[in-house]
Amino acid sequence: MIFSKVYTKLKLSAIFALLFLITSCNKQSTQKTGLSESVLFTSEISEDATPAVVSRILSAGEKAISEIKFEKGTYHFYPDKGKESFEYISNHCDLMVSTPFPIEHFKNLTIDGQGSTFIFHGVMIPFLIENSENIEVKNVTIDWHEPFHSEGLIVANNNKNKTFDMTISEAFPYEIRNEQIYFIKEFYEHSVGQTILYDPERSAIAFNTEAYTSISTRTKASVRNGIENIDYKYINDERAPEYKSLGNENRLTVEQLKPGLVRVHGHKKEMPPVGMILTMKGDQGFNRISPAFRVTHTKGFNGINVNIHHAGGMGIIAENSSDLILDNFNITPSKGRMVSTTADATHFVGCSGKVVLKNSTFNNQLDDATNVHGTYQKSVDVLGDNKLGVRMMHHQQKGFVIGQPNEKIGLVRLEDSFFPYAEVTINNIEYVNSRYQIITFNENLPESFKVGDLIENLDGYPDLLVKNCKIGSNRARGLLISNPVNTVIEDNFFNTEMEAILIPVESGHWFESGNAANVIIRNNVFQDCQHGGKNRGVIRFATDDDNENIAFKNIEISNNTFNQFDNLILQVTNTDGLKFSGNTITNSGTFPMLHSENPAVKVQASKNIYFENNSYKGKASSVLELAEGMQKIEFN
Amino acid sequence: MIFSKVYTKLKLSAIFALLFLITSCNKQSTQKTGLSESVLFTSEISEDATPAVVSRILSAGEKAISEIKFEKGTYHFYPDKGKESFEYISNHCDLMVSTPFPIEHFKNLTIDGQGSTFIFHGVMIPFLIENSENIEVKNVTIDWHEPFHSEGLIVANNNKNKTFDMTISEAFPYEIRNEQIYFIKEFYEHSVGQTILYDPERSAIAFNTEAYTSISTRTKASVRNGIENIDYKYINDERAPEYKSLGNENRLTVEQLKPGLVRVHGHKKEMPPVGMILTMKGDQGFNRISPAFRVTHTKGFNGINVNIHHAGGMGIIAENSSDLILDNFNITPSKGRMVSTTADATHFVGCSGKVVLKNSTFNNQLDDATNVHGTYQKSVDVLGDNKLGVRMMHHQQKGFVIGQPNEKIGLVRLEDSFFPYAEVTINNIEYVNSRYQIITFNENLPESFKVGDLIENLDGYPDLLVKNCKIGSNRARGLLISNPVNTVIEDNFFNTEMEAILIPVESGHWFESGNAANVIIRNNVFQDCQHGGKNRGVIRFATDDDNENIAFKNIEISNNTFNQFDNLILQVTNTDGLKFSGNTITNSGTFPMLHSENPAVKVQASKNIYFENNSYKGKASSVLELAEGMQKIEFN
């Protein structure tokens, strides 16, 4: 019997252990002083390791644990007997979800797979690490039995009739309902939804996929009656999943030509080329439900020698945490799949202290390799001299608590400045619901405060290091960084579909806070980035407000190699202080140029921009393009 | 300013109040000793009363409350600033939902509307009462701005082409997507889904609606590829909402003839008659999201002088609670709507002590007037001599905890007996997830215990009184009772679409536990029940297991009046001890007879059945029909 063996081991070691019972608010707590034990799970639990692991972790209050080890092997984890909790997860869906590793209120715990592979089934979060300190997960490979995305090989197309045909392997069961295809998984299904083309020869995003994808799945519903009369008292987020269908209907139709071969009608862009693989992951707002690691309110997390082959969401999403180190933490696909994780490889929201990504590979994920930012919350009620009602504006920020008592809050009015006009500190946050919280500050709000102003946590940004990583074959960006503290990006290799590095300030869509300052980008290789086809730079600074206010400061881009098939390398805007030096720019010839009219560098609304000792061997007829009204700068 | 006025009142009364701060596990607690205050809300908060009410209730830990009163008026409640929690609600959907009245861990609290009307907007639970004692809600009318169902008036039909046309008033905004109609509400939408016909002249379910409804919305999906290869390790509930679409597609199509007039194609039964109103409430599994009252783990609840005109679910759903009294607690529609609540008027699961429904009207709801039962949970793992892993079998029982320590649990094997074969008592329940819990008992399980046996809580049934209530114009039954303790049903008027009183034991579908014993049904009037068209008795005992085991004991049916349009009055099965005496049976002539071949009474698999002093003036050619093998009984 599975349990008896494991528990025999526990009893033996317990003889030497002094155990304290800590019960606190019915939350599981580990022993913080005294002896705690190392638990070993053996392959006897491999058919479904969930119940044994959950049971031992939940009894850590009585029998403290310092280490959980697994005899090397392959372990399956099913959701059926997992510990369940409702999780509001930033940049994911919010859901009741089960985990085999409910690491909550733990301190100084190591989970060592000893080279094991963990195979997950259905909607689960493998590692749920909350309100903990010094947690390390190492030497483990994570995969899913069935992926949360599906793939179809394009075998024919007809641009005149606007159809394309694809074969769908047995790995991706499907059914067709009312001319719509649905991919059926263990415990999950998805529609076509969000799509992109992969080139199986390169195992990377297809060159110029923008010409063919996204597949146009939706169109406006033609019949609507009386809906304009519905009256919402408060801000209504029509982008939220509950409104996703409102006003829209399906544009595509799908017919089965024979089992495993379907014809798709109604796509508006160019038909996808034969030989490419269409990856489909279902509708936005519904398809990020199983990140591999969720880390929140945790001080100190190490992920070392971890391989994540798949996740229905991100590899790791960390929120409100500090001192996070990922070393040899690799995102790569398995089983011949084109796709690894279906969203970002890594993502950090409101994180501080050191955040380190090193010696890692982030390949084939369906979103950025990393994304580092805070959260703007919108003031909707002034409830007192020092008291605000705030609203979470983007549905993927629901439930996010902006900070802890005494942390520094910046008051921001983006139309005036990308930097805060005043600072206060948190006294208390009353969580009313996932969209609405009441924040009391230690200081009174300034006279100039207006309802509608945003708040951001100025203590919620990290010292960021991205070093010696391989980033590419993925959809979207490499690094998406809104960090006003310090950022060093060095010794990396980029081969991304969109920007290798995007540094934005934005407010109106994602409400992801943070400008950027003190960014060093050095000794990296940029190889054929932006091959998806967008007309944008490999490194790009961007704001979504059309003004000349400074958003970015003190930037160094030095000693990098840009070996690109196309011209545009760097786009600078709203920047004060950027030095671009010692870089080598060549033309790779890998793909045909798509935007040959471009210069290598575009600069606008910026000052103190310097170019020194760069080597340009590219094909642009004009290397540097300055926006009208800018002071003359030389490219050297 | 709204808040200042209310808080001024609070400060004044606080001068006289001795306040204690009780903080316990971050849960809100009220003052249990010492003085507590009466709070008055005035119509100044009427535009959205939610934030002020939530704020005051959540601060009850610091300033205890004995009473919350409202100046008489109409108050609106929006979800945007309501207190949010995830609720697993028996016989409803499970959801994150907001409430203005988060009555959790309160004792001795009265909420007095003083004749006010509360209008709710969108998905909310008006009163969420959990883990409390002696709570009274009185003198209040509850309604919704927009209902969770929709209505269409049948204006034409064509049985040859299988179409019918309906007009949809401005009260029910809609859109048509891919030939499907969706009704759009404030914060909610629904498809056609579950349907029934109302007769607007009678403001009741249309006579013989069974001939026309349910509208056939679904058919089997024709194309499926590889789905049979998906392998589930554990029991997989294909009736759960997440599998609702699997293998099905839409059968109906809807076209708009002109704004507010639509034609429906593809219905399989007879076309609904012109002049009737089709009520639609969306798909099963998705349409019970806003009951008016949720009461759980509460000792003592009074609902007095309460009118509920609508709810997106039940009027009240009470679970694991005791001593519940509803007096002048009325469910009736408003604003010319055919429908009041979209599910049962009242519903009690695992409730004990006294449950009283008196002097109340339960009209026009889309399910039973009441339903009283427990829960069968299925043993799936034997984890020790006294330890079981149990599974919640029906998705609407997710999250249900079967009892408290020391309560009596019956071990049941329904194929052998409808009564428990052994009893144990609860020591502890470990909640792992909403489908799986681990129960430890004070005693060892018997040798004969087998995995797959069911458990029920024998202490989770009430002394039930239903007295002086008017029940009718609703879909489905009047009273659905599985109660082995005591039940008295007297002085009521029934005019229900299906059975007036259904007494079932069932196991295979709903997993609602309870046989029945000690049931008295006296001095009631049954007027034209079963007018929906089903071929069933007005009072019916039923089991879903095809055997002759006794399920029902000690039943008295006396001095009732049955004034029915059709023959069948009483169906008895699996019963030991039933006395039917002093009843008057006449034929009303209200509707044409539908099943004139029936006798007045059918009896099978029963013993000790007596008929005395009844007056039969009906039209049945044979009054009493005994199943083969039954001992001869006379109808007197």
Side-chain angles (χ1 to χ4, degrees):
Chain A
M1 196 173 156
I2 290 165
F3 280 82
S4 60
K5 170 123 188 211
V6 172
Y7 280 174
T8 303
K9 288 176 198 253
L10 300 183
K11 278 175 199 159
L12 286 172
S13 63
I15 294 169
F16 306 102
L18 179 63
L19 300 176
F20 297 88
L21 174 63
I22 299 177
T23 52
S24 149
C25 292
N26 293 323
K27 294 270 187 186
Q28 199 63 40
S29 284
T30 49
Q31 187 49 47
K32 282 169 190 159
T33 57
L35 298 175
S36 59
E37 69 181 24
S38 174
V39 176
L40 176 69
F41 289 105
T42 70
S43 57
E44 289 190 50
I45 66 166
S46 65
E47 284 185 22
D48 181 8
T50 302
V53 172
V54 166
S55 175
R56 184 61 192 92
I57 289 173
L58 293 184
S59 63
E62 296 106 66
K63 291 178 287 182
I65 310 172
S66 60
E67 188 177 42
I68 299 173
K69 286 179 163 180
F70 288 80
E71 179 187 15
K72 185 175 177 177
T74 297
Y75 296 81
H76 291 264
F77 291 87
Y78 286 83
D80 302 64
K81 297 175 186 177
K83 182 65 181 157
E84 205 173 48
S85 55
F86 192 92
E87 298 295 323
Y88 282 110
I89 315 173
S90 188
N91 299 81
H92 282 76
C93 305
D94 305 315
L95 74 169
M96 187 66 74
V97 64
S98 93
T99 181
F101 290 98
I103 308 299
E104 205 178 339
H105 294 279
F106 272 76
K107 194 171 172 179
N108 303 327
L109 173 68
T110 298
I111 298 170
D112 185 352
Q114 300 194 117
S116 291
T117 297
F118 290 179
I119 308 283
F120 293 85
H121 294 256
V123 180
M124 303 185 80
I125 297 182
F127 293 94
L128 188 55
I129 299 162
E130 302 190 342
N131 294 299
S132 292
E133 245 180 281
N134 293 330
I135 307 299
E136 181 163 306
V137 176
K138 63 184 183 185
N139 306 323
V140 66
T141 293
I142 293 168
D143 204 351
W144 255 263
H145 181 62
E146 293 185 338
F148 291 93
H149 78 288
S150 300
E151 304 181 2
L153 175 66
I154 309 297
V155 293
N157 62 36
N158 184 325
N159 266 299
K160 194 173 147 214
N161 294 340
K162 293 276 183 194
T163 66
F164 63 90
D165 298 351
M166 54 184 181
T167 55
I168 298 167
S169 82
E170 285 184 0
F172 305 104
Y174 64 86
E175 63 184 31
I176 297 177
R177 309 173 193 145
N178 298 106
E179 303 183 300
Q180 301 299 309
I181 191 165
Y182 297 89
F183 294 93
I184 312 298
K185 316 290 182 176
E186 213 180 355
F187 312 105
Y188 180 66
E189 65 172 58
H190 70 80
S191 61
V192 171
Q194 294 184 288
T195 50
I196 199 162
L197 282 177
Y198 266 82
D199 178 346
E201 283 194 15
R202 290 169 38 244
S203 186
I205 299 293
F207 173 67
N208 201 20
T209 189
E210 282 289 322
Y212 315 102
T213 60
S214 297
I215 300 293
S216 31
T217 57
R218 295 235 154 171
T219 189
K220 290 281 162 210
S222 52
V223 176
R224 311 191 80 195
N225 195 61
I227 291 162
E228 65 284 2
N229 299 331
I230 297 175
D231 187 29
Y232 296 96
K233 184 172 175 64
Y234 299 106
I235 299 168
N236 190 42
D237 180 5
E238 291 202 350
R239 296 174 303 165
E242 58 267 34
Y243 295 107
K244 210 76 188 183
S245 300
L246 199 63
N248 296 308
E249 63 181 21
N250 296 312
R251 178 187 167 84
L252 289 187
T253 61
V254 179
E255 62 170 326
Q256 180 176 273
L257 302 177
K258 64 178 190 180
L261 176 64
V262 302
R263 178 163 294 171
V264 181
H265 302 255
H267 178 44
K268 281 195 296 188
K269 288 187 171 183
E270 284 184 53
M271 296 301 112
V274 169
M276 297 295 114
I277 288 177
L278 183 67
T279 67
M280 300 161 276
K281 65 172 185 176
D283 284 326
Q284 192 173 26
F286 299 89
N287 59 22
R288 293 175 169 209
I289 54 178
S290 282
F293 284 84
R294 170 178 206 200
V295 178
T296 58
H297 292 102
T298 287
K299 293 177 184 171
F301 170 77
N302 289 0
I304 300 177
N305 303 329
V306 170
N307 297 304
I308 300 174
H309 290 320
H310 186 74
M314 298 177 185
I316 180 169
I317 168 71
E319 300 170 65
N320 287 315
S321 294
S322 58
D323 297 321
L324 310 164
I325 297 173
L326 306 182
D327 188 355
N328 195 24
F329 188 97
N330 307 302
I331 312 286
T332 59
S334 68
K335 302 182 186 177
R337 296 172 189 156
M338 289 296 106
V339 171
S340 56
T341 62
T342 67
D344 313 49
T346 75
H347 199 122
F348 302 88
V349 185
C351 291
S352 58
K354 283 196 189 310
V355 171
V356 176
L357 286 68
K358 62 184 178 186
N359 312 319
S360 297
T361 299
F362 303 120
N363 276 359
N364 294 69
Q365 68 275 2
L366 287 178
D367 213 330
D368 314 320
T370 200
N371 188 336
V372 178
H373 60 87
T375 298
Y376 289 124
Q377 298 182 348
K378 190 171 195 160
S379 61
V380 292
D381 296 315
V382 173
L383 300 170
D385 291 340
N386 64 342
K387 200 172 183 178
L388 283 184
V390 297
R391 180 179 159 88
M392 317 301 122
M393 293 300 290
H394 192 277
H395 65 87
Q396 285 185 342
Q397 293 169 347
K398 283 168 72 174
F400 190 85
V401 176
I402 204 165
Q404 298 299 311
N406 302 317
E407 287 184 349
K408 233 186 306 178
I409 295 296
L411 307 177
V412 184
R413 197 175 296 149
L414 285 172
E415 59 270 31
D416 293 349
S417 171
F418 295 113
F419 293 85
Y421 66 84
E423 292 178 12
V424 288
T425 60
I426 298 172
N427 178 280
N428 177 58
I429 297 181
E430 186 187 351
Y431 186 98
V432 179
N433 64 48
S434 59
R435 286 281 197 182
Y436 187 71
Q437 296 170 20
I438 295 172
I439 307 186
T440 310
F441 300 105
N442 292 315
E443 305 80 14
N444 284 350
L445 292 163
E447 289 285 321
S448 58
F449 186 85
K450 288 195 301 198
V451 165
D453 287 352
L454 304 177
I455 64 169
E456 66 171 320
N457 184 346
L458 300 175
D459 287 332
Y461 298 103
D463 261 312
L464 173 66
L465 172 64
V466 182
K467 186 179 171 74
N468 194 32
C469 293
K470 290 192 187 67
I471 296 171
S473 305
N474 65 308
R475 184 197 154 268
R477 277 80 36 155
L479 314 178
L480 180 48
I481 312 263
S482 300
N483 182 17
V485 179
N486 286 302
T487 299
V488 175
I489 300 166
E490 62 184 5
D491 304 331
N492 303 289
F493 175 84
F494 294 90
N495 175 33
T496 54
E497 180 241 341
M498 296 184 191
E499 293 89 337
I501 301 172
L502 172 61
I503 297 186
V505 172
E506 71 82 51
S507 57
H509 184 82
W510 294 105
F511 288 86
E512 295 181 349
S513 73
N515 41 57
N518 314 318
V519 180
I520 297 173
I521 301 172
R522 67 186 165 209
N523 299 326
N524 302 284
V525 175
F526 299 91
Q527 178 73 44
D528 295 314
C529 298
Q530 286 288 14
H531 57 259
K534 283 194 190 292
N535 186 0
R536 292 176 181 169
V538 174
I539 298 175
R540 188 164 74 98
F541 294 78
T543 75
D544 61 3
D545 290 74
D546 187 21
N547 65 39
E548 304 210 340
N549 296 331
I550 293 305
F552 313 110
K553 293 179 186 171
N554 191 23
I555 314 293
E556 175 191 321
I557 303 174
S558 60
N559 301 318
N560 300 285
T561 300
F562 295 86
N563 190 24
Q564 288 284 126
F565 70 97
D566 216 338
N567 284 341
L568 191 57
I569 302 303
L570 175 65
Q571 276 180 287
V572 178
T573 190
N574 301 75
T575 299
D576 179 3
L578 181 147
K579 192 172 170 187
F580 186 87
S581 67
N583 299 290
T584 302
I585 303 164
T586 51
N587 186 292
S588 70
T590 307
F591 305 113
M593 290 172 77
L594 289 168
H595 308 286
S596 60
E597 72 287 2
N598 277 331
V601 179
K602 289 184 180 182
V603 181
Q604 67 177 34
S606 297
K607 57 190 175 185
N608 300 316
I609 309 295
Y610 303 97
F611 294 90
E612 290 176 8
N613 301 323
N614 299 292
S615 159
Y616 187 76
K617 296 172 194 160
K619 295 190 173 175
S621 51
S622 154
V623 177
L624 175 60
E625 180 185 293
L626 300 175
E628 256 184 75
M630 284 234 5
Q631 210 180 334
K632 180 91 177 118
I633 312 170
E634 291 294 329
F635 185 89
N636 294 304
Chain B
M1 196 173 156
I2 291 165
F3 281 83
S4 59
K5 170 125 188 211
V6 172
Y7 279 175
T8 302
K9 288 175 198 253
L10 299 184
K11 278 176 200 158
L12 286 172
S13 63
I15 293 169
F16 307 101
L18 180 63
L19 300 174
F20 296 90
L21 173 63
I22 298 177
T23 53
S24 150
C25 291
N26 293 323
K27 295 269 187 188
Q28 199 65 40
S29 284
T30 49
Q31 187 48 49
K32 281 168 190 162
T33 57
L35 299 174
S36 58
E37 67 181 25
S38 173
V39 176
L40 175 69
F41 288 105
T42 69
S43 57
E44 290 191 49
I45 66 166
S46 65
E47 284 185 23
D48 181 8
T50 301
V53 173
V54 166
S55 175
R56 185 63 192 90
I57 290 173
L58 292 185
S59 62
E62 295 106 67
K63 291 177 288 183
I65 311 173
S66 60
E67 188 176 42
I68 299 173
K69 286 178 162 181
F70 288 81
E71 179 188 15
K72 185 174 176 177
T74 297
Y75 295 80
H76 291 265
F77 291 87
Y78 286 83
D80 302 63
K81 297 174 186 178
K83 183 64 181 157
E84 204 174 50
S85 55
F86 192 92
E87 299 295 322
Y88 281 110
I89 315 174
S90 189
N91 299 80
H92 281 76
C93 305
D94 305 315
L95 74 168
M96 185 66 73
V97 64
S98 93
T99 181
F101 291 97
I103 308 299
E104 204 179 339
H105 294 279
F106 273 75
K107 193 170 175 179
N108 303 327
L109 173 69
T110 298
I111 298 170
D112 185 352
Q114 300 194 115
S116 293
T117 296
F118 290 177
I119 308 284
F120 293 85
H121 293 256
V123 181
M124 301 184 82
I125 297 182
F127 293 94
L128 188 56
I129 299 163
E130 302 191 343
N131 294 297
S132 292
E133 244 181 283
N134 294 330
I135 308 299
E136 181 164 305
V137 176
K138 64 183 182 185
N139 307 323
V140 67
T141 293
I142 294 168
D143 204 351
W144 254 264
H145 180 62
E146 293 185 339
F148 291 93
H149 78 288
S150 302
E151 303 181 2
L153 175 66
I154 309 297
V155 294
N157 60 36
N158 185 326
N159 267 299
K160 192 172 150 218
N161 295 339
K162 293 276 184 192
T163 66
F164 62 90
D165 299 349
M166 55 184 179
T167 55
I168 298 167
S169 82
E170 285 184 1
F172 305 103
Y174 65 86
E175 63 183 32
I176 298 178
R177 309 174 193 146
N178 297 107
E179 301 183 300
Q180 301 301 309
I181 191 165
Y182 297 89
F183 295 93
I184 312 298
K185 316 289 183 178
E186 212 179 355
F187 312 105
Y188 180 66
E189 64 173 57
H190 70 80
S191 61
V192 171
Q194 294 183 288
T195 50
I196 200 163
L197 282 177
Y198 267 82
D199 178 345
E201 283 192 16
R202 290 170 38 245
S203 187
I205 298 292
F207 172 67
N208 200 20
T209 189
E210 281 289 324
Y212 315 102
T213 60
S214 299
I215 300 295
S216 31
T217 57
R218 295 235 157 172
T219 188
K220 289 281 165 213
S222 52
V223 175
R224 310 192 82 196
N225 195 61
I227 292 161
E228 65 284 0
N229 299 330
I230 296 175
D231 186 28
Y232 296 96
K233 184 172 174 66
Y234 299 106
I235 299 168
N236 190 41
D237 179 5
E238 292 203 349
R239 296 175 303 165
E242 58 267 33
Y243 295 107
K244 210 76 190 185
S245 300
L246 200 63
N248 295 308
E249 61 180 22
N250 296 311
R251 180 188 165 83
L252 289 187
T253 60
V254 179
E255 63 171 324
Q256 181 176 271
L257 302 177
K258 64 177 189 181
L261 176 64
V262 301
R263 178 162 294 171
V264 180
H265 303 255
H267 178 44
K268 281 193 296 189
K269 288 188 170 183
E270 284 184 54
M271 295 303 110
V274 169
M276 298 295 115
I277 287 177
L278 183 67
T279 67
M280 301 161 273
K281 65 172 185 175
D283 284 325
Q284 192 173 26
F286 299 90
N287 60 22
R288 294 174 169 211
I289 54 178
S290 281
F293 285 83
R294 169 174 210 204
V295 179
T296 58
H297 293 103
T298 288
K299 293 178 183 169
F301 170 77
N302 288 1
I304 299 176
N305 304 329
V306 171
N307 296 305
I308 300 174
H309 290 320
H310 186 76
M314 299 176 184
I316 180 168
I317 169 71
E319 300 169 65
N320 288 317
S321 294
S322 58
D323 297 320
L324 310 164
I325 297 174
L326 306 182
D327 188 355
N328 194 24
F329 188 96
N330 306 302
I331 312 285
T332 60
S334 67
K335 303 182 186 177
R337 296 173 190 156
M338 289 296 107
V339 171
S340 57
T341 62
T342 66
D344 312 51
T346 75
H347 198 122
F348 302 88
V349 185
C351 290
S352 57
K354 282 194 191 308
V355 171
V356 177
L357 286 68
K358 61 183 178 186
N359 312 318
S360 299
T361 299
F362 303 121
N363 276 0
N364 294 69
Q365 67 275 3
L366 287 178
D367 214 330
D368 314 321
T370 201
N371 189 334
V372 178
H373 60 87
T375 298
Y376 289 125
Q377 298 181 349
K378 190 170 197 159
S379 61
V380 291
D381 297 313
V382 173
L383 300 170
D385 290 341
N386 64 342
K387 199 171 183 178
L388 283 184
V390 298
R391 181 180 158 89
M392 317 303 121
M393 293 300 289
H394 193 277
H395 65 87
Q396 285 185 342
Q397 293 170 345
K398 284 169 72 175
F400 191 84
V401 176
I402 203 165
Q404 297 298 311
N406 301 317
E407 287 184 350
K408 234 186 306 176
I409 295 296
L411 306 177
V412 184
R413 198 176 296 150
L414 285 172
E415 59 271 31
D416 293 349
S417 171
F418 294 112
F419 293 85
Y421 66 85
E423 293 178 11
V424 288
T425 60
I426 297 172
N427 178 280
N428 176 58
I429 298 182
E430 186 187 352
Y431 185 98
V432 180
N433 64 48
S434 58
R435 286 281 197 183
Y436 187 71
Q437 296 169 20
I438 295 172
I439 308 185
T440 309
F441 300 105
N442 292 314
E443 306 79 13
N444 284 350
L445 292 163
E447 289 284 322
S448 58
F449 186 84
K450 287 195 302 198
V451 165
D453 287 354
L454 304 177
I455 63 170
E456 66 170 320
N457 184 346
L458 300 175
D459 287 331
Y461 298 104
D463 260 314
L464 174 66
L465 173 65
V466 182
K467 187 179 171 74
N468 193 33
C469 294
K470 290 191 187 68
I471 296 171
S473 305
N474 64 309
R475 184 197 152 267
R477 278 79 37 155
L479 314 177
L480 180 48
I481 312 263
S482 300
N483 181 17
V485 179
N486 286 303
T487 299
V488 176
I489 300 166
E490 61 184 6
D491 304 330
N492 304 290
F493 175 84
F494 293 91
N495 175 33
T496 53
E497 181 241 341
M498 297 185 191
E499 294 89 337
I501 301 171
L502 173 61
I503 297 185
V505 171
E506 69 83 49
S507 57
H509 185 82
W510 294 105
F511 288 86
E512 296 181 349
S513 73
N515 42 56
N518 314 317
V519 179
I520 297 173
I521 301 171
R522 66 185 167 210
N523 300 325
N524 302 286
V525 175
F526 298 91
Q527 178 72 42
D528 296 313
C529 298
Q530 286 290 12
H531 57 258
K534 282 194 190 292
N535 186 359
R536 293 175 181 170
V538 174
I539 298 174
R540 187 164 75 98
F541 295 77
T543 74
D544 61 3
D545 290 74
D546 186 21
N547 64 40
E548 304 209 340
N549 296 331
I550 293 304
F552 312 109
K553 293 178 185 171
N554 191 25
I555 315 292
E556 174 190 322
I557 302 174
S558 61
N559 303 318
N560 300 286
T561 299
F562 295 87
N563 190 26
Q564 288 286 126
F565 70 96
D566 216 338
N567 284 342
L568 191 56
I569 302 302
L570 175 66
Q571 276 181 285
V572 178
T573 189
N574 302 74
T575 299
D576 179 4
L578 181 146
K579 191 172 170 187
F580 187 88
S581 66
N583 299 290
T584 303
I585 301 165
T586 51
N587 186 292
S588 68
T590 308
F591 305 115
M593 291 174 74
L594 289 168
H595 308 284
S596 59
E597 73 286 3
N598 278 332
V601 179
K602 290 184 179 180
V603 182
Q604 67 177 35
S606 297
K607 57 190 176 186
N608 300 315
I609 310 294
Y610 305 97
F611 295 89
E612 291 176 9
N613 302 323
N614 300 294
S615 158
Y616 187 76
K617 297 173 193 157
K619 296 190 172 175
S621 52
S622 153
V623 177
L624 176 60
E625 180 185 294
L626 298 175
E628 255 183 74
M630 286 245 348
Q631 210 178 335
K632 180 92 178 120
I633 313 170
E634 292 292 329
F635 185 90
N636 295 303

